[in-house]
Amino acid sequence: MSDIADRVKKIVVEHLGVEEDKVVENASFIDDLGADSLDTVELVMAFEEEFGIEIPDDAAENIQTFGDAVKFIKEAS
Amino acid sequence: MRRVVVTGLGLVTPLASGVEQSWSRLLAGQSGAGPITRFDPVNVITKYACEVPDGDGTDGTFNADDYMQPKERRKVDDFILYGIAAAQQAVEDAGWMPEDEAARERTGVMIGSGIGGLRSIEETTLIIRDKGVRRVSPFFIPGALINLISGQVGIRYGFKGPNHSVVTACSTGAHAIGDAARLIMFGDADVMVAGGAEAAICEIGIAGFNACKALSTKRADNPQAASRPYDVDRDGFVMGEGAGIVVLEEYEHAKARGAKIYAEVLGYGLSGDAHHITAPDEDGDGGFRAMKMALGHAGVDPSQVDYINAHGTSTMADTIELKAVERLLGDAAAKATMSSTKSATGHLLGAAGAIEGIFTILAIRDQVAPPTINLDNPAVETPLDLAPNKKVERQVKVALSNSFGFGGTNASVCFGAVR
């Protein structure tokens, strides 16, 4: 697994308090990992902070799974 | 009016986490004061406070993990954490966790705070300055709002009755208990979880109260002697933190389920000074009228009052309350005991009236008045027994708990043994 994916997974595990093996490619933050809408806002902020990027609101709305997040960050950084 | 009794208690105080642990240390004359550790106090004048003793949860220490998961705790200010912790203790103590919808709809929550998420506001302001507005947490607002203790407790236990919150500075805890009792008396709920919480020991909190000239400043060498109500050498209050929560219940409801009953809420009085934003009226009439109203609702003659848990913050205003109590009790003042437990806990602001209400309830349960510690040289002569430095074992059938707040807001709650 890429370095980016590892770093994203670490953030997800820390913020949502979930087991690492639950954070798989198509795991939905809300449906599978117990996040609510505020949690997803905070996750996006944590991604921005970790990778030094800016994720516009319309792009953030499309980041619904762990895989979405890794894909977006790879393209942005 | 329906009768209201107290069936559950919860305390997180600078003396200890836990009702019996806090109470036994209070009776033993211990102090919860020490050097400030919540932030580096290098820039503020007052460098001591009464902090909740953090630890692993044994020996009266406070272990946040016992009450909230770390990932949830990150989303709330400490005043909410303390409120939830004390509410959990109180609800478990009362044994009231109804599974059926009808009972949940008849159970409400009214927990307040004087200031709320002051530390979160301070930290978030610095984030905006240093990193910009995009770094503001989505949990900042719901983690700092005062009524979010009531909201969180309602969510946790499924309590769907009145969900309300009080904000009356240092009278908050007393007003919450009094107002919640009235909701039960009026029939809007059968059970209410009520009280106050505070966590304002942060740089902006200490600096703000220092600027008001309200805090003790002269005892950095011996913080445990700093809170000294009625003493000639008092120089301001010592900031405390924590929470006090009670479970109030309609009397027949409590009896029907065989609940343990600590005491009855006999009466409640409120008044305003209409005088000054921070100073009480010199004549003490506001406090006097609040106490008189509480006794009126209780149907109790002033001569029957055994114990008064005073507002007594260790400021110049202590003697104003003292005179108001003397005026209320008249000749009977000579047989009453009045103590300020703030001498041991410091001043918990919005939580003060709630923790002191609980101490008053325990005074009734155990027939003992807790001491006013550090009272070595009384500033004035009074016929009242101020319980200097030692608890007083005595009859306590009827008791008052007083709280007065900035803005000239006064509350007095009358508790009594169930007759």
Side-chain angles (χ1 to χ4, degrees):
Chain A
M1 195 180 274
S2 72
D3 171 54
I4 285 179
D6 282 345
R7 285 156 71 192
V8 171
K9 183 176 285 188
K10 187 160 174 283
I11 288 169
V12 173
V13 166
E14 271 175 17
H15 281 256
L16 301 183
V18 290
E19 297 295 326
E20 205 177 305
D21 57 14
K22 294 265 172 22
V23 187
V24 294
E25 174 76 20
N26 53 2
S28 158
F29 296 129
I30 290 178
D31 296 334
D32 301 318
L33 302 177
D36 64 18
S37 60
L38 297 180
D39 289 317
T40 61
V41 174
E42 198 187 38
L43 270 182
V44 166
M45 284 173 55
F47 298 151
E48 288 182 329
E49 185 104 358
E50 172 72 16
F51 296 100
I53 56 174
E54 189 166 315
I55 305 177
D57 286 351
D58 52 351
E61 280 171 21
N62 293 324
I63 299 177
Q64 304 203 351
T65 66
F66 171 63
D68 292 342
V70 174
K71 182 162 174 279
F72 181 92
I73 293 162
K74 272 183 180 165
E75 287 167 5
S77 41
Chain B
M1 285 289 180
R2 309 195 313 161
R3 293 173 68 183
V4 177
V5 293
V6 182
T7 57
L9 306 175
L11 281 177
V12 176
T13 77
L15 290 169
S17 176
V19 171
E20 301 305 333
Q21 294 87 339
S22 293
W23 179 236
S24 62
R25 287 173 192 184
L26 181 70
L27 292 180
Q30 294 182 22
S31 163
I36 287 174
T37 66
R38 294 280 180 250
F39 68 98
D40 182 354
V42 63
N43 293 320
V44 292
I45 299 165
T46 297
K47 301 184 194 305
Y48 47 92
C50 291
E51 297 182 351
V52 168
D54 292 327
D56 63 3
T58 61
D59 195 29
T61 57
F62 178 75
N63 183 354
D65 290 342
D66 292 341
Y67 304 100
M68 273 187 116
Q69 293 177 2
K71 81 178 172 85
E72 296 303 319
R73 220 156 64 223
R74 254 186 340 102
K75 302 175 184 174
V76 300
D77 193 278
D78 280 348
F79 84 101
I80 293 180
L81 168 66
Y82 295 149
I84 288 174
Q88 180 178 317
Q89 292 176 19
V91 167
E92 287 175 0
D93 183 37
W96 180 246
M97 281 172 247
E99 298 288 329
D100 64 296
E101 193 70 1
R104 288 178 162 188
E105 288 177 4
R106 298 288 297 164
T107 303
V109 191
M110 183 163 342
I111 301 168
S113 179
I115 310 185
L118 195 59
R119 189 186 186 120
S120 300
I121 294 168
E122 173 185 276
E123 288 172 349
T124 303
T125 304
L126 295 178
I127 286 172
I128 288 181
R129 186 192 66 184
D130 297 337
K131 297 180 176 178
V133 292
R134 287 182 56 84
R135 292 275 85 84
V136 173
S137 166
F139 299 106
F140 162 55
I141 297 291
L145 286 181
I146 284 177
N147 73 299
L148 259 286
I149 310 173
S150 294
Q152 291 264 11
V153 169
I155 292 164
R156 176 173 291 212
Y157 296 104
F159 295 155
K160 295 183 173 179
N163 198 280
H164 204 335
S165 190
V166 174
V167 183
T168 49
C170 306
S171 302
T172 298
H175 276 136
I177 292 172
D179 288 345
R182 289 205 172 155
L183 290 180
I184 296 173
M185 289 174 188
F186 194 70
D188 293 325
D190 293 326
V191 181
M192 289 294 295
V193 181
E198 204 76 77
I201 303 174
C202 53
E203 191 166 32
I204 196 173
I206 297 291
F209 280 103
N210 268 153
C212 292
K213 306 291 179 196
L215 293 180
S216 167
T217 60
K218 294 178 182 164
R219 300 269 176 177
D221 57 329
N222 186 11
Q224 300 210 335
S227 186
R228 41 195 318 112
Y230 316 113
D231 191 84
V232 70
D233 293 321
R234 70 196 187 283
D235 76 318
F237 78 77
V238 179
M239 179 102 76
E241 62 176 1
I245 307 284
V246 297
V247 174
L248 302 175
E249 191 163 346
E250 194 272 324
Y251 180 48
E252 298 298 334
H253 187 278
K255 267 203 312 187
R257 71 181 184 93
K260 164 184 60 188
I261 295 174
Y262 286 96
E264 180 167 2
V265 180
L266 296 177
Y268 167 48
L270 325 71
S271 72
D273 278 353
H275 173 69
H276 187 266
I277 53 172
T278 60
D281 202 344
E282 294 282 329
D283 64 9
D285 194 55
F288 172 83
R289 286 182 289 112
M291 289 186 275
K292 197 175 170 202
M293 186 189 291
L295 293 182
H297 287 302
V300 166
D301 188 81
S303 65
Q304 293 174 269
V305 176
D306 300 304
Y307 172 64
I308 301 113
N309 188 299
H311 182 59
T313 56
S314 186
T315 62
M316 290 305 122
D318 293 354
T319 52
I320 297 175
E321 179 187 19
L322 197 61
K323 294 295 170 199
V325 171
E326 288 173 10
R327 180 181 158 206
L328 180 81
L329 301 190
D331 291 342
K335 59 185 184 67
T337 298
M338 173 160 109
S339 61
S340 170
T341 48
K342 288 188 180 80
S343 57
T345 63
H347 187 357
L348 275 70
L349 310 177
I355 73 162
E356 290 158 17
I358 291 171
F359 292 149
T360 306
I361 290 161
L362 294 170
I364 291 165
R365 181 191 72 176
D366 293 349
Q367 299 291 289
V368 60
T372 305
I373 65 169
N374 297 318
L375 179 48
D376 300 327
N377 299 298
V380 288
E381 282 188 26
T382 174
L384 286 157
D385 169 21
L386 298 175
N389 300 312
K390 269 196 176 147
K391 66 182 180 184
V392 178
E393 288 179 18
R394 56 157 299 154
Q395 171 189 297
V396 186
K397 283 187 179 166
V398 174
L400 289 170
S401 180
N402 286 342
S403 295
F404 311 136
F406 277 7
T409 175
N410 312 297
S412 184
V413 184
C414 181
F415 297 98
V418 174
R419 290 166 292 190

